[in-house]
Amino acid sequence: MIVKKWTRRGFLKAVGGTVLASGYLNQAATVEANVSAGEWPIFRGDAAHCAFVEGQGNLASPRIKWTFGTRNLVESSPVVADINNDGRLEVVVGSHDHNVYAVNGQTGAELWRFTTDDWVFASPAIGDIDGDGNLEVVVGSHDENVYALDARNGQLKWMAETRTRVMSSPLIGDFDGDGQVEVVIGSDKFYSFNGRNGSTKWTFQPDFPVTSSPAAGDINGDGRPEIVFGSLDNHVYALQGNGSLVWAFNAFGEVESSPALADLDGDGTVEVVFGAARRGVYAVNGSNGQQKWLMPITSTERDEQRIHSSPAIADVNGDGQLEVIIGTNEKRVYGIRANGQKMWQFDAPRFVESSPALADLDGDGNIEVIVGAHDGRIYLLNAATGQQKWNFQVPAGGVVFSSPTVIDIDGDGVLEAIIGTNASQLLALG
């Protein structure tokens, strides 16, 4: 089976979220479905959440291309698309200063901002949700609302209420096959909103709120996309596009990590990979929700037993097998083999809650891991060995909680990294 690689506009404007979602992982699923150096319109880059990017960078010695300042923390992870049809890429990100910002991808100059009533912690998503031929930005806020904005100017199109703060990042697609685009997102419940007007299509009620961001794909080979997300009730849920339950997996720990989907072992079945507090990193069979493996947490310190980081997946060492890369509050980044065995670990000075991205960022022909940490540094690691290539201290220090977006932001054919910092900044590194 050939897995389609989407062009920039094709991915963003595909009305069929079935295409958007299930085209990634249909049985022969591999990281081939991940984004290339085009656009990064949702958290982790695409619906499979594998965060692997093709192309090459020149980050052997990183420098700041531009900086955009906000008035508070930037823990939101940036998304990138040509939001105004000018042929250039723009960056959209949230901040704890209550704003969603769109900035010029080449210069970092502000294009517009939209103000909510509380922190914007979650990452936005970009897509044509109402079929008008233009893109929208969808984002949740701690003010307990989900907003749909005209991506060209930041004007409000609709607002949908939830009953608690929104820390989950949305996913966009036609998941129920009705020809209309939905927005799915977690809060006090898991919601599916009509993309045209924000009305609620269905909800699913876990026992505790959902801060994990959903992934989607045909994980059980039925030809339809399933939606997968974790919950603070210790479970990971797989739902059909109409909201009905496919399976629930008890991880015995809160699931803040957002799942990634891939056929790790090449058996034709998609695995769901995620981290769970007090337990470790799981791989679960996408067909039936049964555990395939667990790489356990070793720390007994309470604060170190959380896993907020989400996994990245690629064949990082050229052996023909997929590997999993993930950060933990144990102050580590792990490389994990397809069978769940630890390949390497990198010890950081403080928590790693940022989610890693994978690409050949220094142009040496090998894949690197780029990830932030709570010591205010961004790390570049050899993805095959875990050896540090460099670390970069962000200006003004502070935690790096935001997850990096890897993309050719200025159209020069070379990958850059975009990331937020708790020093109230959005940085472009080149």
Side-chain angles (χ1 to χ4, degrees):
M1 175 177 293
I2 297 174
V3 181
K4 182 177 179 67
K5 292 185 181 179
W6 293 98
T7 62
R8 297 193 311 175
R9 305 306 288 181
F11 177 89
L12 291 167
K13 300 179 106 36
V15 174
T18 328
V19 179
L20 247 167
S22 69
Y24 292 101
L25 299 159
N26 211 347
Q27 293 301 317
T30 70
V31 291
E32 297 236 355
N34 289 294
V35 290
S36 61
E39 290 173 319
W40 186 290
I42 60 175
F43 179 62
R44 313 300 286 142
D46 64 23
H49 281 185
C50 291
F52 169 73
V53 181
E54 296 176 341
Q56 288 188 324
N58 191 25
L59 279 168
S61 180
R63 65 178 179 85
I64 297 176
K65 292 178 72 74
W66 53 254
T67 301
F68 174 76
T70 68
R71 297 193 301 273
N72 211 320
L73 316 181
V74 182
E75 297 191 314
S76 172
S77 301
V79 294
V80 177
D82 177 8
I83 61 176
N84 54 13
N85 296 312
D86 66 353
R88 296 186 295 269
L89 294 177
E90 289 79 37
V91 183
V92 183
V93 72
S95 170
H96 283 220
D97 68 7
H98 301 190
N99 289 303
V100 182
Y101 294 96
V103 303
N104 183 301
Q106 294 189 341
T107 67
E110 182 177 328
L111 300 177
W112 55 255
R113 72 175 69 178
F114 175 83
T115 304
T116 75
D117 289 328
D118 210 331
W119 296 352
V120 182
F121 167 88
S123 299
I126 300 172
D128 181 8
I129 63 174
D130 56 9
D132 67 351
N134 297 307
L135 299 179
E136 285 76 41
V137 172
V138 184
V139 67
S141 169
H142 272 46
D143 68 7
E144 304 183 2
N145 290 298
V146 177
Y147 297 91
L149 312 175
D150 188 321
R152 295 169 296 179
N153 52 30
Q155 295 297 304
L156 180 66
K157 286 201 160 185
W158 54 254
M159 179 179 71
E161 295 183 0
T162 69
R163 293 188 177 181
T164 192
R165 59 192 184 183
V166 184
M167 301 177 69
S168 172
S169 299
L171 197 60
I172 294 169
D174 176 15
F175 301 107
D176 59 10
D178 67 351
Q180 306 294 323
V181 172
E182 294 86 46
V183 174
V184 293
I185 193 169
S187 180
D188 59 306
K189 304 175 183 178
F190 192 80
Y191 290 85
S192 174
F193 296 115
N194 185 310
R196 292 183 178 272
N197 56 28
S199 61
T200 301
K201 297 193 75 170
W202 52 259
T203 64
F204 178 86
Q205 183 68 74
D207 290 333
F208 287 97
V210 176
T211 60
S212 168
S213 300
D218 180 11
I219 62 173
N220 58 7
D222 65 355
R224 298 173 297 180
E226 286 75 42
I227 303 163
V228 187
F229 60 91
S231 170
L232 299 183
D233 70 1
N234 300 352
H235 285 77
V236 169
Y237 296 96
L239 307 181
Q240 291 182 355
N242 61 9
S244 59
L245 181 67
V246 179
W247 50 254
F249 175 80
N250 188 353
F252 299 99
E254 298 92 342
V255 183
E256 300 175 276
S257 174
S258 301
L261 312 177
D263 180 6
L264 290 178
D265 52 14
D267 66 352
T269 300
V270 173
E271 282 76 47
V272 178
V273 186
F274 59 91
R278 302 187 303 279
R279 300 295 289 180
V281 183
Y282 283 97
V284 172
N285 186 308
S287 293
N288 54 27
Q290 297 296 305
Q291 179 178 323
K292 297 198 80 167
W293 51 256
L294 167 67
M295 196 205 75
I297 284 175
T298 58
S299 176
T300 58
E301 296 293 329
R302 180 179 177 86
D303 288 344
E304 293 185 1
Q305 290 186 321
R306 291 179 63 196
I307 302 179
H308 195 284
S309 180
S310 301
I313 300 175
D315 177 9
V316 300
N317 56 11
D319 66 352
Q321 303 292 318
L322 298 181
E323 288 81 36
V324 175
I325 314 295
I326 191 170
T328 74
N329 281 26
E330 295 176 289
K331 308 172 188 174
R332 290 172 180 163
V333 180
Y334 286 107
I336 307 171
R337 301 187 190 279
N339 61 5
Q341 297 299 306
K342 183 175 75 173
M343 184 168 63
W344 53 257
Q345 73 180 46
F346 171 78
D347 294 324
R350 297 188 65 190
F351 297 164
V352 182
E353 295 192 300
S354 172
S355 301
L358 303 172
D360 178 8
L361 278 162
D362 60 7
D364 68 350
N366 300 309
I367 295 176
E368 286 81 40
V369 180
I370 187 168
V371 68
H374 278 227
D375 64 346
R377 294 179 182 273
I378 300 165
Y379 290 88
L380 192 77
L381 311 177
N382 182 311
T385 66
Q387 293 297 305
Q388 181 180 165
K389 290 196 161 186
W390 51 252
N391 68 75
F392 178 82
Q393 177 69 59
V394 303
V399 166
V400 182
F401 183 95
S402 173
S403 302
T405 293
V406 175
I407 197 161
D408 175 11
I409 193 64
D410 52 12
D412 65 354
V414 178
L415 296 174
E416 288 85 29
I418 318 293
I419 193 167
T421 82
N422 284 22
S424 306
Q425 299 167 327
L426 181 68
L427 302 178
L429 296 182

